[in-house]
Amino acid sequence: RNPPEELTTTTNAMSDQSQHFSDRREFEHSTLDESSLQAVENDPWAFFAQWLSAAKNAGLEDYNAMVLSSLTFDGAPDARVVLIRSIDDKASTGGKPIKSLSFFTNFNSEKGRQLAADPRCSVTFYWKELERQVRMMGRAVPLSEAACDAYFSSRPRGSQLGAWASLQSEVIDARSQLEEQLVEAAARFEGRNVARPSHWGGYAFVPHNFEFWQGRPSRLHDRIRCTQASSGTWIPERLSP
């Protein structure tokens, strides 16, 4: 049975709008040899810090940008790009100091509410120019009040006022509403330091799994995964691309 003419026309129109991306290039920047496997086993944190420093030293913009993926309340993945502000050997979380990456946000934002409900999350770094990617799986732990205050005080005044002005992730009627709230915040703190809002602060991302990816020719990329055992030691594995 033939489809109605109207349906056929619509389907063809949609097909004409399809886009295909077949651009390819070879990856030839570097390798992850067996000495890299040993280095990752000895200390995946140090290996990651070397890669992060290499991206910074290469002059890459936003070298410290990562995709943070959290879980919605019905268990769906939700991702966005945030900036890490430090690698902490002993992050202050109000409990036992932990090694982690720190990032900051509005606790009332979508990601803040999601992390409060389920701290499991993952992060991804990608440095195109170095043909490298790092994936980590772990959890987000709120930083201590003192740690949040210390970082907030280091931010530019405009960013501090923005933390008061923006009800992050909330629907607003127009851009002018946001600008009015910024004017109000500036007036409130005129002539004095901007206090940190209680709804704004940081997280320590604590990974239990690292995966280092180095692009290689013919799509035979190098992948090394390192998973933390219950004893605290790290177990490296080479993965097929």
Side-chain angles (χ1 to χ4, degrees):
R1 182 179 180 183
N2 294 328
E5 182 178 352
E6 181 182 351
L7 177 59
T8 303
T9 303
T10 303
T11 303
N12 290 338
M14 293 178 62
S15 177
D16 291 342
Q17 295 174 7
S18 297
Q19 298 183 52
H20 303 277
F21 306 99
S22 57
D23 298 4
R24 290 182 176 273
R25 66 183 179 90
E26 286 289 11
F27 296 90
E28 300 177 327
H29 185 82
S30 188
T31 66
L32 281 174
D33 57 19
E34 297 315 304
S35 64
S36 300
L37 187 70
Q38 185 63 52
V40 171
E41 179 179 13
N42 290 340
D43 190 348
W45 275 107
F47 197 84
F48 168 71
Q50 291 174 9
W51 273 24
L52 189 65
S53 294
K56 179 180 180 180
N57 295 336
L60 305 188
E61 292 187 9
D62 296 327
Y63 66 91
N64 59 330
M66 67 181 184
V67 176
L68 169 67
S69 301
S70 54
L71 296 171
T72 64
F73 300 115
D74 59 357
D78 193 6
R80 78 288 292 162
V81 177
V82 300
L83 301 178
I84 68 163
R85 290 308 180 185
S86 62
I87 300 177
D88 301 306
D89 284 334
K90 295 181 179 180
S92 175
T93 60
K96 181 180 178 181
I98 51 179
K99 189 155 191 173
S100 62
L101 306 176
S102 67
F103 65 94
F104 294 82
T105 189
N106 185 317
F107 293 139
N108 295 331
S109 65
E110 282 188 342
K111 61 180 172 294
R113 296 194 301 268
Q114 290 167 3
L115 293 173
D118 190 338
R120 293 177 299 169
C121 52
S122 66
V123 302
T124 304
F125 293 83
Y126 179 59
W127 302 292
K128 176 178 71 69
E129 294 83 354
L130 301 180
E131 301 172 355
R132 288 175 174 172
Q133 175 180 263
V134 179
R135 300 167 58 208
M136 305 180 196
M137 297 176 63
R139 71 187 195 280
V141 181
L143 291 170
S144 67
E145 295 283 326
C148 294
D149 287 340
Y151 178 71
F152 188 81
S153 66
S154 73
R155 303 183 87 205
R157 187 175 181 85
S159 297
Q160 293 175 336
L161 293 172
W164 283 97
S166 174
L167 303 177
Q168 192 172 343
S169 302
E170 296 297 323
V171 176
I172 57 176
D173 295 329
R175 173 79 186 185
S176 58
Q177 179 182 340
L178 183 61
E179 294 169 347
E180 289 169 4
Q181 290 168 182
L182 180 60
V183 171
E184 292 172 1
R188 187 186 319 158
F189 292 100
E190 185 176 1
R192 60 192 180 98
N193 292 334
V194 181
R196 178 180 65 87
S198 60
H199 60 258
W200 190 96
Y203 289 93
F205 173 73
V206 186
H208 59 74
N209 177 289
F210 289 80
E211 184 189 311
F212 299 93
W213 178 96
Q214 179 70 63
R216 294 292 301 276
S218 302
R219 288 338 193 234
L220 296 179
H221 311 304
D222 284 329
R223 294 174 63 191
I224 294 178
R225 179 175 62 196
C226 202
T227 304
Q228 191 170 35
S230 57
S231 62
T233 59
W234 293 94
I235 302 172
E237 300 169 299
R238 181 176 286 276
L239 305 179
S240 172

